[in-house]
Amino acid sequence: MKLTSLSTLPEEHVSHNPEIKKKVMLRFGDLPHLTNFSQARFAPGQISSAHAHADMCEVFFVESGEGRICVDGTIHPLHSGTCIAVAAQEEHEICNTGSTELVLTYFGLRVEPQP
């Protein structure tokens, strides 16, 4: 068993934009196939630049705020309560398009890289 609380976790930087902060509740190795379980906070206008993962799929859940996610060139709106899954090798970029903080809870699952 592992017990964590957002209130006691340190802030870290999101690798795709060090200005965006996250708190990691679970890390690679804590559970089979899980790469991370985290919460990120995007200030208005902040962007996690376009990227893809060869060996990981990700699931994003919007806790609060508004934004957009572009997956392989298609833009999808993000609103409180939205959940979106991004497959391995799908390029994705997230942007806070609102006037308040965009809060995303997300996790990654390890998959075998495709040739």
Side-chain angles (χ1 to χ4, degrees):
M1 185 197 101
K2 180 169 183 162
L3 177 66
T4 59
S5 172
L6 285 172
S7 63
T8 60
L9 292 171
E11 282 190 340
E12 301 177 26
H13 303 286
V14 172
S15 61
H16 308 293
N17 181 339
E19 293 180 5
I20 299 169
K21 305 295 186 234
K22 70 177 178 180
K23 291 187 175 188
V24 180
M25 294 172 274
L26 296 172
R27 296 182 183 279
F28 181 70
D30 287 340
L31 291 172
H33 310 290
L34 184 75
T35 63
N36 71 88
F37 180 62
S38 305
Q39 187 177 82
R41 296 177 173 272
F42 292 62
Q46 281 187 322
I47 298 172
S48 176
S49 59
H51 63 281
H53 307 280
D55 61 352
M56 178 176 70
C57 57
E58 289 182 293
V59 176
F60 298 94
F61 179 75
V62 181
E63 298 282 349
S64 62
E66 295 192 8
R68 65 163 172 75
I69 184 168
C70 183
V71 180
D72 282 345
T74 302
I75 296 173
H76 305 276
L78 297 175
H79 304 284
S80 181
T82 301
C83 180
I84 187 163
V86 178
Q89 299 189 26
E90 286 186 317
E91 185 178 78
H92 52 287
E93 176 180 85
I94 299 171
C95 178
N96 180 346
T97 58
S99 59
T100 61
E101 189 172 62
L102 172 64
V103 180
L104 298 177
T105 298
Y106 64 100
F107 63 91
L109 296 173
R110 200 145 167 77
V111 298
E112 291 297 317
Q114 300 299 312

